[in-house]
Amino acid sequence: MPEILNGPLSRRKALTTAGTVVGSALLPSSSGGYSPRAPQPILLMSPPPRYAIFTAIDIDIGSATPFFRRLRTSMLMLPASVEITIGFGASLFDKGVPFQRPRQLRQMPSFPGDLLHPDFTHGDVLIQICAAATEEAQSATHDLLSQTPHHRARWSVHGFRMDNREENGRALTRNLFGFTEGYGNPEREGSQRALREMIEVPDTAREPVWARAGTYQVVRLIRLAQALWDADPVNVQEKIIGRRRDGTRLDGTAPFANTPFGDADGSTTPLDSHVRRANPRLPEIEPPRLFRRSFSYSRGRDAFGNLDEGLLFVCYQADLTRGFEAVQRRLAGEALGRYTLTTGGGYFFVPAQLDPDRYWDR
Ligand code: HEM
């Protein structure tokens, strides 16, 4: 148990504790407020607030130190109720920051079928601000960015979680396709250790020391072809997802049960369904080693009059190859692919603590 979690910390006191990490992550404390010293991955394991704003920015590398110092100070001025996480993109390291790049961090590649738009992809730093009310997330984002000079905005997406709730230690939400997401996520409570192993870079990894206990973040802006989807009857949609809308498996298995599929031939749960591709539940295939914490997004119509809305897919893992990339590779050719188009996002590394003084100036 990290020292951070031992007992409530007064926010001010934590902010002023000399030489310690401050403000990069906020965990609910027993006083009902937020303790500002929780490691970011631990924060991300908590149930997500209903709204989120993701803002990717590029920084002027010559001003990197003042930028991060100001960012940290500005974060401390935000209301205790907002959740903030900061991730670093590969381009930050290409520009030459004086600390080592996490071993697996690179620019997110374009996977088969992707149509990545440069205006919505990558970035030196990704700021995620979540809150219970959209105005709160908005004003926190505005305050943070306006108080932190030396950056250029790159892209920004507002996310929301419909029907946001928690059941059986899993955060659930209904996506724009009308299906509930989160059942197949690892349980948060009860197996917190297993979840931490899945998302936090371990001390034993051949990673820079500063990256330990941090996590790799994958963001994918996935546009959903809503009209095409709505034209299909629900039973067809359920075959494409591989679960019923309420999460029940197609063979009747309860939503949270993780038993193998009984039909080797895919006659009940098609072999190209999303859930079966994502997690085939076969002894020779490792279960997904990622933790999803996604949002829906809606950005009105694009220049061609088409609705630009879909899934702001977000997942965290200790190992990108065993985590996101293993699942993404299996999803190639899935039936759902016809209804989705990935247009942006990126790979980022979320350090356990945003502590520029600990690794930045060396
Ligand atoms: C195209 C947009 C997507 C939609 C609409 C979608 C929707 C869903 C739904 C409804 C479920 C079943 C409920 C659940 O277990 O959460 C699910 C499961 C899952 N999805 Fe997705 N998903 C999408 C993209 C992705 C991507 C890009 C990945 C990772 C590369 C992914 C990984 C998973 C995993 C690991 C599961 C759990 C499977 C299980 O253990 O049963 N999904 N998704």
Side-chain angles (χ1 to χ4, degrees):
M1 174 79 65
E3 160 257 331
I4 304 292
L5 298 180
N6 290 338
L9 270 166
S10 118
R11 183 172 171 79
R12 261 319 128 195
K13 191 167 151 210
L15 304 188
T16 51
T17 309
T20 55
V21 179
V22 284
S24 58
L26 310 170
L27 248 204
S29 74
S30 58
S31 58
Y34 281 76
S35 151
R37 299 204 305 154
Q40 301 204 94
I42 301 247
L43 171 77
L44 294 166
M45 285 160 50
S46 63
R50 194 174 150 92
Y51 297 98
I53 300 179
F54 288 71
T55 310
I57 59 178
D58 289 333
I59 67 169
D60 168 7
I61 198 67
S63 310
T65 302
F67 167 81
F68 277 99
R69 289 219 172 111
R70 281 295 287 278
L71 179 67
R72 187 175 53 162
T73 316
S74 311
M75 279 165 41
L76 303 180
M77 311 310 290
L78 297 181
S81 53
V82 299
E83 181 199 285
I84 314 162
T85 10
I86 306 288
F88 302 150
S91 52
L92 185 68
F93 298 88
D94 295 339
K95 288 178 174 176
V97 284
F99 55 99
Q100 242 188 315
R101 173 201 303 259
R103 227 162 44 89
Q104 295 186 320
L105 186 64
R106 56 185 175 124
Q107 199 165 287
M108 183 177 78
S110 183
F111 291 93
D114 288 4
L115 200 60
L116 300 180
H117 195 296
D119 290 353
F120 308 129
T121 312
H122 314 311
D124 293 348
V125 176
L126 184 71
I127 300 171
Q128 178 184 173
I129 295 194
C130 300
T134 184
E135 303 81 6
E136 203 181 358
Q138 236 159 342
S139 76
T141 302
H142 173 267
D143 290 351
L144 188 69
L145 292 175
S146 61
Q147 287 157 17
T148 312
H150 314 298
H151 76 268
R152 286 172 308 285
R154 197 178 163 97
W155 53 268
S156 151
V157 185
H158 290 226
F160 55 92
R161 291 175 57 95
M162 289 188 294
D163 244 342
N164 195 24
R165 63 196 194 276
E166 201 183 4
E167 270 174 41
N168 279 28
R170 273 87 159 188
L172 303 180
T173 176
R174 190 163 36 87
N175 64 31
L176 292 172
F177 274 179
F179 281 70
T180 297
E181 277 191 46
Y183 294 111
N185 246 347
E187 192 186 352
R188 190 169 64 86
E189 270 148 24
S191 63
Q192 212 196 42
R193 193 198 195 122
L195 180 54
R196 289 185 65 178
E197 271 174 21
M198 194 177 280
I199 67 177
E200 284 183 18
V201 168
D203 287 353
T204 49
R206 287 186 297 120
E207 291 278 14
V209 172
W210 72 267
R212 290 183 186 162
T215 184
Y216 287 94
Q217 178 185 39
V218 175
V219 178
R220 306 265 293 162
L221 198 58
I222 307 178
R223 196 194 268 215
L224 299 179
Q226 195 70 50
L228 193 67
W229 182 259
D230 291 344
D232 284 335
V234 171
N235 66 320
V236 171
Q237 297 173 345
E238 289 177 338
K239 290 258 178 203
I240 293 167
I241 295 291
R243 282 187 190 258
R244 304 219 178 97
R245 279 176 161 197
D246 66 0
T248 309
R249 298 242 302 264
L250 298 183
D251 56 9
T253 305
F256 293 105
N258 194 23
T259 46
F261 295 100
D263 55 331
D265 61 354
S267 51
T268 307
T269 307
L271 300 177
D272 64 354
S273 64
H274 181 66
V275 159
R276 196 139 186 186
R277 287 292 184 96
N279 186 4
R281 295 171 169 82
L282 292 170
E284 64 274 24
I285 295 180
E286 187 176 49
R289 291 192 62 83
L290 54 84
F291 179 61
R292 290 166 294 140
R293 203 180 194 251
S294 307
F295 295 82
S296 293
Y297 80 89
S298 177
R299 298 198 291 195
R301 293 187 185 275
D302 66 12
F304 304 100
N306 299 314
L307 274 180
D308 182 4
E309 55 182 27
L311 185 68
L312 180 53
F313 173 88
V314 187
C315 73
Y316 301 94
Q317 52 264 292
D319 185 314
L320 266 179
T321 314
R322 280 174 74 189
F324 170 74
E325 289 185 349
V327 177
Q328 179 66 24
R329 216 171 305 119
R330 286 201 296 272
L331 293 182
E334 64 168 339
L336 183 62
R338 200 176 145 235
Y339 304 82
T340 67
L341 177 66
T342 301
T343 60
Y347 285 175
F348 300 90
F349 190 84
V350 177
Q353 306 284 358
L354 181 69
D355 185 7
D357 291 329
R358 204 159 69 181
Y359 46 80
W360 192 268
D361 286 332
R362 300 249 167 100

